[in-house]
Amino acid sequence: MTKELNPNPKNLDGAVTALEEYLSNWEKTCIKDNPNRQHFGIGMYLRNYWGLWHHSDLAVWFRNNYQIVHPDDMSGIILDRYSAYLNGKEFDIWAEVNEYHEYWKKLELFDKMLIEFDSSLCEHRKLLEAAFLKRIP
């Protein structure tokens, strides 16, 4: 009989329990040693299987409790929490949540700067076009 991954964990503890029950020893070792390298492997599987791109219970839990809205961030937190569990270490979810929030704030600021830069380039281009058109007889 093959093990099945719980299709609908309700929260982070439920996700960790599901992983503990489902993953092979080899997969656990990979996550234990370096959870960040699992983004495109088990991380992608979890994002898709657990409906983190949609409104699954787990995705809603992350949004409602921690204002984590991106599925990549959700799976990253899950894998980091599971790695801490495997290593017998404490996991400070608020420290991790704050890192994601800071990342998105910086990205938002960067996007604003790009928009402003692009706008100024557009204005500059309009001025150049107007000057060029004046020179055409």
Side-chain angles (χ1 to χ4, degrees), residues 15-30:
V16 167
T17 299
L19 291 174
E20 180 63 17
E21 293 172 353
Y22 175 72
L23 295 176
S24 70
N25 288 335
W26 179 80
E27 291 167 318
K28 290 176 184 180
T29 300
C30 291

Side-chain angles (χ1 to χ4, degrees), residues 21-137:
E21 293 172 353
Y22 175 72
L23 295 176
S24 70
N25 288 335
W26 179 80
E27 291 167 318
K28 290 176 184 180
T29 300
C30 291
I31 293 170
K32 180 180 179 180
D33 293 343
N34 193 345
N36 297 328
R37 298 207 59 206
Q38 308 309 315
H39 179 80
F40 291 108
I42 187 73
M44 183 171 21
Y45 178 75
L46 297 178
R47 289 188 293 279
N48 293 328
Y49 187 75
W50 281 342
L52 300 181
W53 293 102
H54 306 289
H55 298 288
S56 69
D57 291 341
L58 185 55
V60 170
W61 181 85
F62 271 108
R63 288 181 190 111
N64 289 345
N65 290 285
Y66 297 102
Q67 293 74 48
I68 294 293
V69 297
H70 199 287
D72 288 348
D73 301 347
M74 295 175 197
S75 64
I77 291 170
I78 293 166
L79 291 172
D80 286 346
R81 167 64 178 89
Y82 188 54
S83 175
Y85 164 80
L86 293 172
N87 285 292
K89 295 182 177 178
E90 291 291 319
F91 180 75
D92 183 354
I93 190 165
W94 283 108
E96 189 136 348
V97 164
N98 287 334
E99 283 182 30
Y100 284 111
H101 289 174
E102 285 301 312
Y103 169 81
W104 288 107
K105 283 180 191 172
K106 288 177 186 173
L107 193 60
E108 185 178 299
L109 179 61
F110 181 72
D111 285 347
K112 277 182 163 178
M113 288 172 29
L114 283 178
I115 290 168
E116 289 173 15
F117 180 72
D118 190 46
S119 294
S120 67
L121 284 179
C122 287
E123 289 302 315
H124 186 68
R125 181 175 180 187
K126 287 178 190 173
L127 291 172
L128 287 174
E129 285 176 350
F132 178 76
L133 290 175
K134 285 182 182 176
R135 294 183 64 185
I136 297 176

